[in-house]
Amino acid sequence: MTNLNAVPIVLLTDFGVEDVYAGILKGVILSINPGACIMDLSHSVGPRDIRQGSFLLSSAAPYFPKGAVFCVVVDPGVGSERAPILVRTIDYTFIGPDNGVLFQASRDNGIRDIFHLNQPGYFLSTVSNTFHGRDIFAPVTAHFSLGVPAEKLGVKIKSMVPLELVPAVPAEDGSGLELAIIHKDRFGNLILNIRQDEFNKVAEKGFRLEYDRPGKGNAKIDQVFPTYSAAPDHTPFVLESSSGYMEIAVKNQSAARVLGLGPDHKIRLTAPL
């Protein structure tokens, strides 16, 4: 029976829900800690998409209770020399591959220490080259949730692989900022790599978001609204997303489908002369 007072174990993977991989993680954890409180953050990270996993993790972690343990498996380098790590921050613990996926969330909360997970006694008895989520990360997470200290699970190291969100950069001609779409949510809203305060510095007296429509030439967006419902129908606009970043939306429609845009597309933000 799940212990409702247990610290939550939060799973984030790119496994999807069609296969059994996400369920196997839970089975391994519960075999070691039958009272574990397991929560799914998402299993819909794009396959091997470390940047998307990093964005989702850093956006969501602050809303979990202190002490939560995040088991993150977005691991295109599984079986290689990349290290499995455990990161303790001020409020949380993050367990996963050292490929950058844990970096942003860990840094945002204040990194206390980092451990290279190198004690096979806390892994499954056989470790495959293709499923470290099952054989390393899930069992280590379970043992840690039972109170095994990080110092017994691995050796302390000084740093982890950094991975920053794609930054907004000045346009080459100095006319504004070059932005990128960093995430498309289930509703087709397009999250940009700029927070509201940065956006407002440029857009205080008006703005244009300019982008190339595939096969249709250049287009622009120049309206901002506080909510989806405040916007007119069929009109692309921007608003602050729940993550604190600005997003492009179309009321009651998928902006990604309407505009033909998606992650990594470039957007130029300019202010009128």
Side-chain angles (χ1 to χ4, degrees), residues 55-153:
F55 171 75
L56 295 177
L57 181 64
S58 62
S59 298
Y63 298 97
F64 282 83
K66 292 182 179 181
V69 180
F70 293 84
C71 179
V72 181
V73 190
V74 182
D75 194 16
V78 60
S80 70
E81 293 184 358
R82 69 96 190 91
I85 58 172
L86 180 154
V87 186
R88 290 192 302 205
T89 67
I90 292 173
D91 296 316
Y92 307 115
T93 300
F94 299 95
I95 295 171
D98 188 18
N99 60 12
V101 69
L102 305 180
F103 178 75
Q104 186 79 37
S106 299
R107 189 186 65 176
D108 287 352
N109 193 245
I111 297 171
R112 292 171 52 202
D113 37 36
I114 308 165
F115 295 86
H116 175 198
L117 301 171
N118 65 349
Q119 296 300 310
Y122 294 102
F123 305 165
L124 293 193
S125 57
T126 300
V127 176
S128 76
N129 288 327
T130 61
F131 200 178
H132 285 186
R134 175 194 67 193
D135 302 333
I136 297 177
F137 299 126
V140 166
T141 298
H143 287 296
F144 184 80
S145 72
L146 285 170
V148 176
E151 289 78 4
K152 286 190 175 182
L153 298 170

Side-chain angles (χ1 to χ4, degrees), residues 184 188 253-261:
K184 174 177 74 71
Q253 292 181 272
S254 165
R257 185 170 59 250
V258 170
L259 304 178
L261 299 176

Side-chain angles (χ1 to χ4, degrees), residues 6-259:
V7 170
I9 293 172
V10 186
L11 303 180
L12 175 65
T13 78
D14 60 353
F15 293 163
V17 295
E18 297 85 0
D19 293 307
V20 299
Y21 306 127
I24 287 174
L25 294 190
K26 297 178 185 180
V28 170
I29 292 169
L30 290 171
S31 295
I32 297 169
N33 180 2
C37 174
I38 304 174
M39 305 178 65
D40 297 301
L41 181 54
S42 177
H43 297 294
S44 297
V45 176
R48 301 170 293 280
D49 195 336
I50 297 171
R51 286 191 180 277
Q52 185 189 32
S54 172
F55 171 75
L56 295 177
L57 181 64
S58 62
S59 298
Y63 298 97
F64 282 83
K66 292 182 179 181
V69 180
F70 293 84
C71 179
V72 181
V73 190
V74 182
D75 194 16
V78 60
S80 70
E81 293 184 358
R82 69 96 190 91
I85 58 172
L86 180 154
V87 186
R88 290 192 302 205
T89 67
I90 292 173
D91 296 316
Y92 307 115
T93 300
F94 299 95
I95 295 171
D98 188 18
N99 60 12
V101 69
L102 305 180
F103 178 75
Q104 186 79 37
S106 299
R107 189 186 65 176
D108 287 352
N109 193 245
I111 297 171
R112 292 171 52 202
D113 37 36
I114 308 165
F115 295 86
H116 175 198
L117 301 171
N118 65 349
Q119 296 300 310
Y122 294 102
F123 305 165
L124 293 193
S125 57
T126 300
V127 176
S128 76
N129 288 327
T130 61
F131 200 178
H132 285 186
R134 175 194 67 193
D135 302 333
I136 297 177
F137 299 126
V140 166
T141 298
H143 287 296
F144 184 80
S145 72
L146 285 170
V148 176
E151 289 78 4
K152 286 190 175 182
L153 298 170
V155 60
K156 189 176 289 191
I157 57 178
K158 294 182 179 180
S159 62
M160 61 193 297
V161 172
L163 180 69
E164 305 280 357
L165 291 178
V166 177
V169 297
E172 291 184 3
D173 61 6
S175 62
L177 293 175
E178 295 287 348
L179 308 180
I181 297 169
I182 57 175
H183 180 60
K184 174 177 74 71
D185 71 14
R186 184 173 182 272
F187 301 98
N189 301 314
L190 302 169
I191 313 300
L192 299 170
N193 60 337
I194 186 169
R195 291 187 178 274
Q196 185 180 40
D197 56 348
E198 300 171 274
F199 176 83
N200 288 343
K201 290 177 183 177
V202 178
E204 182 179 6
K205 297 181 180 179
F207 72 96
R208 290 192 305 272
L209 288 180
E210 299 174 342
Y211 58 95
D212 290 324
R213 295 179 297 177
K216 296 183 179 180
N218 191 263
K220 68 178 181 179
I221 299 169
D222 57 9
Q223 297 188 69
V224 60
F225 292 95
T227 65
Y228 301 112
S229 61
D233 292 333
H234 314 300
T235 302
F237 65 98
V238 296
L239 78 166
E240 183 184 14
S241 73
S242 61
S243 66
Y245 291 87
M246 301 302 291
E247 72 176 51
I248 299 172
V250 178
K251 182 178 177 179
N252 296 326
Q253 292 181 272
S254 165
R257 185 170 59 250
V258 170
L259 304 178

